[in-house]
Amino acid sequence: MEDAYARSVAEVLEFFEVDPTKGLTDSQISKYARIYGRNVLPEERSTPFWKLVLKQFDDLLVKILIAAALVSFVLALINGETGLIAFLEPSVILMILAANAAVGVITETNAEKALEELRAYQADIATVLRNGCFSILPATDLVPGDIVEVSVGCKIPADMRMIEMLSNQLRVDQAILTGESCSVEKELDSTVATNAVYQDKTNILFSGTVVVAGRAKAVVVGVGANTAMGNIRDSMLRTEDEVTPLKKKLDEFGTFLAKVIAGICMLVWIVNIGHFRDPSHGGLLRGAIHYFKIAVALAVAAIPEGLPAVVTTCLALGTKRMARLNAIVRSLPSVETLGCTTVICSDKTGTLTTNMMSVSKICVFHSVHHGPVTAEYSISGTTYSPEGVVLDSAGIQLDFPAQLPCLLHIAMCSALCNESILQYNPDKGDYEKIGEATEVALRVLAEKVGLPGFNSMPSALNMLSKHERASYCNRYWENQFKKVALLDFSRDRKMMSVLCSRKQLEIMFSKGAPESIISRCTNILCNDDGSTVPLTANLRTELEARFRSFAETETLRCLALALKRMPMGQQTLSFNDEQDLTFIGLVGMLDPPREEVRNAMISCMTAGIRVIVVTGDNKSTAESVCRKIGAFDHLVDFSGHSYTASEFEELPALQQALALQRMALFTRVEPSHKRMLVEALQHQNEVVAMTGDGVNDAPALKKADIGIAMGSGTAVAKSASDMVLADDNFASIVAAIAEGRAIYNNTKQFIRYMISSNIGEVVCIFVAAMLGIPDTLAPVQLLWVNLVTDGLPATAIGFNKQDSDVMKVKPRKVNEAVVTGWLFFRYLVIGAYVGLATVAGFIWWFVYSDNGPKLPYGELMNFDTCSSRETTYPCSIFDDRHPSTVSMTVLVVVEMFNALNNLSENQSLLVIPPWSNLWLVASIVLTMVLHLLILYVQPLSILFSVTPLSWAEWTVVLYLSFPVIIIDEVLKFFSRNSCGTRFNFRFRRPDVLPKELRDK
């Protein structure tokens, strides 16, 4: 029944044909079970494992690599190659891709756990009226029309419409669903609000929420997927994971690279058609296969095989650093997404605030004879921890608050007129509440005020264990006074009272809504001397003015406290006793902002990141909290910056787009609105981070580019998120964003390093093919360079230090290419030099080396006809391992120098020296040691077709390699002087405007 909240009790009961005194009959239960199904969230079919695995290979570069590996393997078999050499290249490539796929499968499997954990919020049992009898049944057996009784501590088993109140009131904590900081009072009347959200449906009990006060009967109107929890589940199922900005850029670059590779491979093959019939190949077909193999080697050289593994490694290293900042990363790609976040949609309750109601202000009558009439006190502390001090209006701490009469009686009343429990949970290391948040706030206040008569009181209390300290002062007052009678809170009186007895003294303590308490008071307690004086009209006016200031200006939730001396021996209370009260004080409480949030939000604004506060609370309360945070001081008022969900939905499409660009506060929202907000912002090309802790936040967390859950939040929110803040601290997000930006900068650096290195390999093979000289590098040598000598320094570049101004620049644009036009030109130049230096080393050995044959250059170009003509040298010279060893060593050493170039994109090595990243220096040393091993250790040198080099050959290697640093220093100089901006090529046109504005 979709509109039960708008129907009367009689209409709802008539719809389900149920008698509220007898419940459903067996035949009705069977009928409704067939129609509506079981009261469980149905399990969604998970993606088969094989599909998850195949999905990881759905990438153009990966497909090209697999094809190249398979082709090279087939060609090796055709040429008669067997053993380790034939299998080495394809097997290593496939192993790397398999490892990368495993990471992806694990990440996607974790995401599906959120749906499973949503079931934990369903109740296990329910007290149900059927066939005229109450019985306790499994909650899964409930059907629409069932009459259910709920009471304090009960978890609501299904969506239900209230039909009868069995106590003075019923209050429900529905924070997991709506994010409201206070419990909600439920009523029987139908709701007349149009476009009603969950908060408006005050006659509906929502599945998974908890009753904190009272008893009531309700009729089930929704089960399983047709509940508020079911709607959240459906919303999460409809949410598809967004591709991260880096993945998009890598895919675009991959497509671009694939086209370039395909073109070059075809060109190499076509240019060499004339050489297919050369006698050395043994026929046209074998010649075609030979040059096809060169083209395949070219493709393998052009694709950075180690790139997926190195990206994953760098992100993983980043997550370790972020864990030290209390940001636990669940999804590796989200590390990089943080770096380009432009909007943070922050849940208010529990994220910007503590979600722990705290008393922050007290107003009492100081004296009616002299000085100020009223006195205000501020209370420090923003959690349920009984640690805090009382400050006077001048901000001076009171050493012994309990020695002041009004504060002493406020503490007594707070402890005695209270049904809640405050306790310490050693497992969580935190203080927890049982019962109403406002009552627990009064318990904490009693602890902060302390006890009278002990000069050592504050220090003595601090010596107690946390378990004893939780309610020490409250227990003291409960032991001093015996509770005799209780008048529960009721909606018409808006107050509660308790009769207490102590040493032949009977006192009634009352607390409630200020308007109710003040109207019943005839006297006031003075704080200076403890005297009781009549409450005159002028004093009443003063008191009401202070109440309005608390409630309207500071938007505090206010309670008034009072007492009354009762006749000796009285054992009962009646509503008539709640007259002629003596006013003690007015307390104002709020869900306080976290102390560190203000500076964190200012840091966000400095970094060009906009913060939108999202909450289920009402508009005025949320605006007050935002003002208290202090981060919205730049807004004169919230008009045009603050919207309720219904106000925003009523705006035309164009005005909604404009409102999104100015929005700072979004109130009265339910889960669907949060998801809608994320989608709308993404539609405007914003990169959205969404924070939250409740079940209600899960769909939006899943939809956002990066979902950030609180460590103390629900398991559902954590499972749907990409990152969890262990300390629930909004400030940790700022530190995580700074780390994310640094990681992205380093990721860019090693991607560019690998690309420039691979361009060098392509140039090497291409130039060799064009010149018609022998292959400069064997495939196994090429693979060694790609995996080992590229991989280690590339990973170490991920340890480059964070720039000092990383949080002073605006977020990078989502459409910013990983390699921009000027940078691509730079790395083409560097890559061209790497390739030419490698070929030069190869030619040098044949033409100029004292250890070589000193052939004329023409002989080297005609090496393939050697066997068919007379020569002064043996043809076996072209099978010598020296020239390929020289060229391979040149390639390795030149890439080590190129790694040093990548300590910074534009800064000279004179500014950022090599020792600024000792990991990079160590990786270069390790790479060279490994290279020396394969040169000088016998089995390895045979496997990689290399041989030891002489000192003269090493000298030439260094002469050919070092100039790469000089070339890049010149290019960096031009970059710093903005010459590179003229080379601003783009791989695609950026779409800056929102889609609907582009269409117009």
Side-chain angles (χ1 to χ4, degrees):
M1 190 175 187
E2 296 292 332
D3 61 345
Y5 64 90
R7 305 278 193 96
S8 67
V9 172
E11 286 177 310
V12 175
L13 294 173
E14 184 182 349
F15 180 86
F16 291 111
E17 301 173 345
V18 59
D19 181 345
T21 61
K22 295 182 179 178
L24 295 175
T25 63
D26 291 337
S27 59
Q28 286 177 308
I29 294 165
S30 302
K31 174 186 171 184
Y32 292 151
R34 284 195 306 273
I35 296 172
Y36 299 107
R38 298 187 72 219
N39 183 31
V40 292
L41 292 177
E43 292 189 22
E44 189 65 21
R45 289 176 61 189
S46 58
T47 309
F49 181 77
W50 62 272
K51 279 191 177 180
L52 284 177
V53 173
L54 286 181
K55 185 179 174 184
Q56 310 311 314
F57 294 93
D58 188 19
D59 179 271
L60 187 58
L61 285 183
V62 169
K63 289 173 183 174
I64 293 173
L65 258 181
I66 293 171
L70 292 175
V71 168
S72 64
F73 177 62
V74 170
L75 292 177
L77 292 181
I78 291 172
N79 286 348
E81 294 177 21
T82 56
L84 185 61
I85 301 295
F87 286 97
L88 184 64
E89 183 174 354
S91 59
V92 170
I93 291 173
L94 292 175
M95 273 184 354
I96 292 168
L97 296 176
N100 204 56
V103 173
V105 170
I106 291 167
T107 302
E108 295 210 15
T109 305
N110 285 341
E112 294 188 354
K113 289 182 181 176
L115 295 172
E116 296 171 20
E117 288 171 345
L118 199 58
R119 296 191 187 93
Y121 289 87
Q122 292 181 291
D124 297 323
I125 56 172
T127 305
V128 190
L129 177 64
R130 288 180 174 177
N131 299 309
C133 297
F134 274 106
S135 56
I136 296 175
L137 299 175
T140 53
D141 291 347
L142 288 180
V143 296
D146 264 326
I147 305 297
V148 177
E149 184 176 309
V150 295
S151 57
V152 177
C154 171
K155 188 181 284 185
I156 306 299
D159 279 9
M160 305 192 295
R161 168 67 162 88
M162 295 269 292
I163 60 171
E164 184 183 352
M165 198 78 75
L166 301 177
S167 61
N168 292 322
Q169 64 164 347
L170 184 82
R171 300 189 70 86
V172 177
D173 180 356
Q174 53 189 43
I176 64 160
L177 187 66
T178 63
E180 293 167 288
S181 52
C182 301
S183 60
V184 178
E185 186 173 351
K186 296 296 181 177
E187 55 190 22
L188 300 177
D189 298 337
S190 57
T191 303
V192 294
T194 54
N195 298 324
V197 295
Y198 290 143
Q199 293 92 324
D200 297 324
K201 300 174 184 177
T202 51
N203 53 24
I204 299 291
L205 306 178
F206 296 106
S207 173
T209 58
V210 179
V211 178
V212 295
R215 286 175 60 227
K217 275 186 189 177
V219 58
V220 176
V221 294
V223 295
N226 296 315
T227 61
M229 281 293 171
N231 291 338
I232 290 175
R233 169 191 168 275
D234 293 341
S235 181
M236 289 172 70
L237 286 174
R238 288 195 302 270
T239 302
E240 294 182 5
D241 292 333
E242 297 288 326
V243 180
T244 68
L246 179 62
K247 181 73 167 67
K248 288 177 185 174
K249 292 294 115 187
L250 288 179
D251 287 347
E252 284 174 22
F253 188 74
T255 304
F256 171 77
L257 198 60
K259 291 174 182 176
V260 172
I261 291 166
I264 293 174
C265 289
M266 288 295 294
L267 188 63
V268 168
W269 201 67
I270 291 169
V271 166
N272 284 285
I273 286 177
H275 296 284
F276 285 3
R277 295 181 181 275
D278 288 346
S280 61
H281 300 315
L284 177 67
L285 181 61
R286 285 189 173 274
I289 290 172
H290 173 77
Y291 286 104
F292 183 63
K293 191 175 181 183
I294 290 176
V296 169
L298 198 75
V300 173
I303 299 171
E305 295 96 328
L307 183 59
V310 173
V311 170
T312 301
T313 304
C314 186
L315 293 177
L317 292 170
T319 63
K320 290 189 73 174
R321 288 203 294 270
M322 291 171 80
R324 290 197 288 270
L325 301 171
N326 293 308
I328 300 160
V329 176
R330 298 185 64 256
S331 168
L332 281 183
S334 65
V335 175
E336 172 273 328
T337 310
L338 272 171
C340 56
T341 299
T342 58
V343 178
I344 299 175
C345 294
S346 177
D347 189 43
K348 178 185 76 69
T349 307
T351 307
L352 298 179
T353 66
T354 61
N355 197 19
M356 298 181 188
M357 193 65 75
S358 300
V359 174
S360 62
K361 283 283 187 74
I362 294 176
C363 177
V364 298
F365 280 102
H366 178 67
S367 172
V368 295
H369 305 298
H370 52 81
V373 175
T374 58
E376 282 189 15
Y377 298 96
S378 299
I379 316 298
S380 70
T382 56
T383 67
Y384 290 142
S385 169
E387 296 160 5
V389 296
V390 181
L391 309 169
D392 64 17
S393 55
I396 300 171
Q397 179 180 336
L398 302 185
D399 292 328
F400 306 106
Q403 291 182 358
L404 296 173
C406 286
L407 294 183
L408 174 64
H409 285 84
I410 284 173
M412 285 185 198
C413 186
S414 297
L416 298 169
C417 196
N418 203 315
E419 296 294 300
S420 67
I421 298 172
L422 175 66
Q423 61 186 20
Y424 180 73
N425 185 333
D427 296 330
K428 295 182 179 178
D430 214 346
Y431 292 90
E432 293 182 336
K433 71 176 177 75
I434 298 175
E436 272 288 333
T438 51
E439 292 203 329
V440 177
L442 292 176
R443 288 244 182 250
V444 176
L445 174 63
E447 296 298 326
K448 291 176 181 177
V449 171
L451 301 175
F454 300 100
N455 290 336
S456 61
M457 177 49 61
S459 56
L461 287 174
N462 291 334
M463 293 172 67
L464 297 171
S465 69
K466 289 188 175 182
H467 179 72
E468 293 173 310
R469 180 70 188 91
S471 293
Y472 185 85
C473 299
N474 281 275
R475 281 196 299 270
Y476 173 84
W477 294 119
E478 286 170 348
N479 291 332
Q480 291 291 314
F481 288 87
K482 177 187 175 186
K483 289 187 182 181
V484 178
L486 175 71
L487 278 180
D488 261 332
F489 182 95
S490 64
R491 292 185 62 195
D492 54 341
R493 291 163 39 250
K494 294 184 179 177
M495 61 183 293
M496 73 171 285
S497 300
V498 60
L499 177 62
C500 299
S501 172
R502 178 178 185 257
K503 297 178 180 177
Q504 306 300 311
L505 182 67
E506 315 295 338
I507 299 180
M508 180 181 74
F509 291 102
S510 300
K511 78 167 190 290
E515 60 270 24
S516 296
I517 294 288
I518 294 171
S519 65
R520 289 173 164 82
C521 287
T522 55
N523 298 291
I524 59 170
L525 182 68
C526 292
N527 200 37
D528 63 341
D529 57 5
S531 61
T532 301
V533 298
L535 177 58
T536 64
N538 288 338
L539 293 176
R540 192 181 296 274
T541 303
E542 173 72 17
L543 184 55
E544 288 171 349
R546 302 312 306 148
F547 166 48
R548 282 195 302 274
S549 173
F550 275 22
E552 295 171 13
T553 307
E554 301 186 49
T555 59
L556 299 176
R557 186 170 185 181
C558 296
L559 286 176
L561 308 179
L563 58 80
K564 182 181 179 182
R565 289 281 300 269
M566 304 299 289
M568 190 179 298
Q570 181 166 334
Q571 297 294 308
T572 59
L573 280 180
S574 68
F575 295 152
N576 293 329
D577 291 322
E578 295 178 324
Q579 301 295 333
D580 301 322
L581 304 180
T582 299
F583 178 83
I584 308 172
L586 182 71
V587 297
M589 56 185 74
L590 79 163
D591 180 10
R594 294 178 180 274
E595 294 170 356
E596 61 281 347
V597 164
R598 182 178 186 275
N599 290 335
M601 293 187 76
I602 290 171
S603 296
C604 284
M605 284 185 272
T606 306
I609 300 167
R610 189 154 58 97
V611 178
I612 299 177
V613 179
V614 183
T615 178
D617 277 347
N618 65 59
K619 198 171 183 178
S620 60
T621 302
E623 288 180 359
S624 172
V625 170
C626 287
R627 286 192 187 93
K628 284 185 172 67
I629 289 171
F632 295 98
D633 294 344
H634 62 290
L635 301 179
V636 178
D637 59 54
F638 278 96
S639 60
H641 300 280
S642 174
Y643 297 88
T644 64
S646 56
E647 286 171 353
F648 182 77
E649 285 182 318
E650 289 168 5
L651 293 174
L654 188 58
Q655 287 187 24
Q656 280 190 354
L658 295 173
L660 279 172
Q661 294 170 9
R662 302 184 64 207
M663 185 184 287
L665 183 60
F666 197 41
T667 55
R668 299 301 281 175
V669 299
E670 56 183 41
S672 60
H673 293 133
K674 292 186 179 184
R675 191 174 185 275
M676 176 267 291
L677 176 65
V678 171
E679 287 177 339
L681 288 166
Q682 289 173 336
H683 202 53
Q684 292 193 349
N685 291 333
E686 302 281 9
V687 178
V688 185
M690 175 77 190
T691 73
D693 59 354
V695 173
N696 59 314
D697 299 319
L701 288 172
K702 199 163 187 287
K703 177 64 182 171
D705 295 289
I706 174 163
I708 305 171
M710 300 297 111
S712 63
T714 59
V716 179
K718 291 178 190 173
S719 296
S721 68
D722 302 297
M723 191 173 88
V724 178
L725 295 183
D727 59 354
D728 288 11
N729 193 337
F730 181 85
S732 296
I733 298 174
V734 181
I737 287 175
E739 189 63 42
R741 289 184 174 191
I743 288 168
Y744 177 74
N745 290 339
N746 292 341
T747 303
K748 270 200 311 188
Q749 288 303 103
F750 72 62
I751 287 172
R752 289 167 185 161
Y753 164 70
M754 295 187 85
I755 288 169
S756 62
S757 299
N758 283 47
I759 289 171
E761 293 165 18
V762 170
V763 169
C764 168
I765 294 171
F766 185 74
V767 169
M770 292 299 98
L771 295 177
I773 62 176
D775 296 340
T776 51
L777 294 169
V780 68
Q781 293 172 339
L782 204 58
L783 191 67
W784 171 262
V785 172
N786 274 348
L787 297 183
V788 181
T789 58
D790 281 3
L792 290 175
T795 305
I797 287 169
F799 288 93
N800 284 351
K801 288 185 177 178
Q802 190 181 112
D803 292 340
S804 58
D805 63 345
V806 74
M807 286 301 284
K808 293 178 183 175
V809 296
K810 289 184 177 181
R812 74 178 193 278
K813 293 179 180 177
V814 184
N815 50 25
E816 177 190 299
V818 176
V819 181
T820 58
W822 165 244
L823 278 168
F824 191 61
F825 171 77
R826 275 176 56 179
Y827 288 98
L828 274 175
V829 173
I830 295 295
Y833 179 79
V834 170
L836 292 173
T838 305
V839 174
F842 186 84
I843 294 173
W844 169 83
W845 189 85
F846 277 107
V847 179
Y848 298 108
S849 173
D850 292 335
N851 297 331
K854 293 193 174 180
L855 299 176
Y857 181 68
E859 289 293 318
L860 183 61
M861 290 182 65
N862 295 312
F863 78 97
D864 49 356
T865 60
C866 175
S867 59
S868 60
R869 56 190 174 85
E870 289 188 12
T871 59
T872 58
Y873 55 86
C875 291
S876 61
I877 195 70
F878 296 113
D879 295 325
D880 195 300
R881 288 183 292 172
H882 271 92
S884 64
T885 304
V886 171
S887 59
M888 180 185 177
T889 305
V890 168
L891 185 57
V892 169
V893 175
V894 78
E895 288 189 7
M896 294 306 100
F897 284 128
N898 192 27
L900 294 176
N901 287 334
N902 283 275
L903 279 167
S904 172
E905 185 176 312
N906 294 318
Q907 292 297 322
S908 168
L909 279 171
L910 299 174
V911 176
I912 301 179
W915 52 88
S916 66
N917 185 346
L918 293 176
W919 287 102
L920 180 59
V921 175
S923 71
I924 290 172
V925 171
L926 179 59
T927 300
M928 291 309 301
V929 168
L930 290 172
H931 186 68
L932 291 172
L933 280 176
I934 68 167
L935 289 185
Y936 295 99
V937 175
Q938 187 66 32
L940 293 174
S941 61
I942 294 171
L943 178 65
F944 287 97
S945 301
V946 291
T947 190
L949 298 181
S950 66
W951 177 246
E953 289 165 334
W954 272 107
T955 305
V956 170
V957 166
L958 290 173
Y959 277 137
L960 288 171
S961 302
F962 186 77
V964 76
I965 285 183
I966 299 170
I967 294 169
D968 200 51
E969 285 293 314
V970 172
L971 291 170
K972 283 180 178 180
F973 173 79
F974 283 119
S975 291
R976 288 194 300 273
N977 289 278
S978 303
C979 292
T981 55
R982 284 175 287 178
F983 293 83
N984 193 19
F985 312 131
R986 296 186 188 276
F987 300 134
R988 71 180 182 93
R989 180 179 65 82
D991 295 322
V992 179
L993 293 172
K995 185 176 184 298
E996 67 269 14
L997 296 181
R998 291 201 308 271
D999 294 343
K1000 294 187 179 189

